[in-house]
Amino acid sequence: MLWLGIGAGVVIGALALLWGARSAWRAAMRAEIRAHLAETWPGWTLVEEGSARLRIQAGDDALQVDLTHLYRELSEIRSGDAAADRTARQERFRHFFAGAADSLRETSAALTPADRERVLPMLVGPSFLAELRSTVELPVRPVSGSSLAVVYVLDGAHAMSYLTEVRRSELELDAEALHALALANLRARTSSEPVRTALDQEGLVAVATGDGYDATRLLLVGEQLGPGERLAAAVPGRDMLVLSKVPDDGDWSGLAALAQTFQGDRPVLDRPLLVTASSIAEM
């Protein structure tokens, strides 16, 4: 989903409506998911970690399931027949969580070089990073000039798990190689169009593809800028990246309001950023 060249006030209003509607719909879907799992997998303990993440605990094994792909599949079920739609959703639940069960059983298996293509970066804010570090040892890369940091995940159709130091060593990657690999994998699924549009047009460009990595795409903006080019950016939540020209009058209040409004369940950063080809700085 992409909004191009729209005034800030219009974007903020439109996103507020969209965000509210999406939050309500996701809450309804999670209620159905919980009911399904209580019946189908009664041995699982479930902990919601934001609107798009679910931690499954089964004995000593744990897995963080990313619901982004499932939400996308569920949103396509629109026959107009409520009973038929509910049956279709139940079938999607069965398929999706059968895959999650397989992933849960595989959490103790060592990674191989073939798993490198699943490695992606994840941009996180300071509070979430502290929470992650309190439970597991992770490779972390600070984003210079900001309070943001990069952690790494193993992406899959049914689950996303954070890459621990132990798992990094299984991939035989040092810190620099891991970061380069993660960025390359993200780059392969990222368009340069939003950056060029933000440079060429007035208004805001809001990137919300729904794949769970939109805020993280901030890491690729600088490499798409030429000498002297710069953009303003906001990453209010994991599923949103907003870009615009740098305010000519130095007034960042509109972007600051945007950064503080659309945080969802997991705020990334509550202030705007200035991005150049060589730096990212909080404003």
Side-chain angles (χ1 to χ4, degrees):
M1 190 175 298
L2 191 66
W3 289 268
L4 302 178
I6 304 175
V10 175
V11 169
I12 291 175
L15 291 182
L17 291 173
L18 175 66
W19 213 279
R22 189 186 71 166
S23 296
W25 180 81
R26 285 188 171 189
M29 292 302 99
R30 289 198 303 280
E32 287 193 24
I33 288 169
R34 280 188 165 276
H36 170 80
L37 294 181
E39 179 180 350
T40 309
W41 301 94
W44 287 1
T45 298
L46 309 176
V47 179
E48 290 188 19
E49 297 185 336
S51 68
R53 289 168 295 282
L54 188 68
R55 190 171 77 248
I56 297 172
Q57 188 83 33
D60 294 331
D61 296 323
L63 181 73
Q64 186 184 61
V65 177
D66 192 303
L67 301 176
T68 303
H69 299 301
L70 179 58
Y71 283 148
R72 188 177 301 169
E73 292 180 2
L74 297 176
S75 69
E76 296 170 355
I77 300 174
R78 299 176 181 175
S79 71
D81 183 322
D85 286 355
R86 183 173 180 81
T87 298
R89 289 195 297 270
Q90 292 294 318
E91 182 58 33
R92 298 290 176 93
F93 295 159
R94 280 190 288 273
H95 176 73
F96 183 87
F97 287 103
D102 290 340
S103 297
L104 191 59
R105 286 189 287 269
E106 294 170 358
T107 53
S108 59
L111 298 176
T112 69
D115 291 304
R116 290 181 178 181
E117 65 183 24
R118 300 169 50 210
V119 175
L120 287 166
M122 179 68 71
L123 195 67
V124 296
S127 61
F128 189 35
L129 178 61
E131 182 181 323
L132 286 173
R133 280 179 151 171
S134 70
T135 60
V136 67
E137 186 179 2
L138 301 166
V140 177
R141 187 184 185 95
V143 177
S144 180
S146 77
S147 57
L148 296 167
V150 181
V151 296
Y152 305 91
V153 301
L154 286 170
D155 191 53
H158 301 289
M160 178 273 287
S161 58
Y162 289 99
L163 191 74
T164 64
E165 284 288 6
V166 171
R167 305 295 260 174
R168 179 193 62 76
S169 64
E170 291 174 354
L171 292 173
E172 300 179 353
L173 296 169
D174 62 21
E176 289 301 318
L178 172 63
H179 189 67
L181 172 67
L183 286 184
N185 289 343
L186 181 62
R187 194 177 293 118
R189 57 170 74 182
T190 299
S191 169
S192 61
E193 179 185 355
V195 169
R196 303 321 305 174
T197 301
L199 287 168
D200 295 340
Q201 297 185 8
E202 298 299 328
L204 304 179
V205 176
V207 183
T209 67
D211 69 353
Y213 300 96
D214 289 315
T216 303
R217 288 183 168 89
L218 172 74
L219 301 172
L220 303 177
V221 172
E223 66 186 39
Q224 299 174 45
L225 297 176
E229 292 182 330
R230 56 184 191 156
L231 283 175
V235 285
R238 192 185 75 163
D239 297 317
M240 182 67 68
L241 169 63
V242 179
L243 301 171
S244 78
K245 290 183 177 179
V246 175
D248 291 332
D249 59 1
D251 183 2
W252 288 74
S253 59
L255 279 165
L258 181 64
Q260 295 166 12
T261 302
F262 304 106
Q263 295 182 347
D265 300 300
R266 284 291 183 191
V268 178
L269 189 66
D270 62 357
R271 64 203 67 137
L273 301 129
L274 173 64
V275 185
T276 70
S278 60
S279 66
I280 297 175
E282 294 182 12
M283 301 302 293

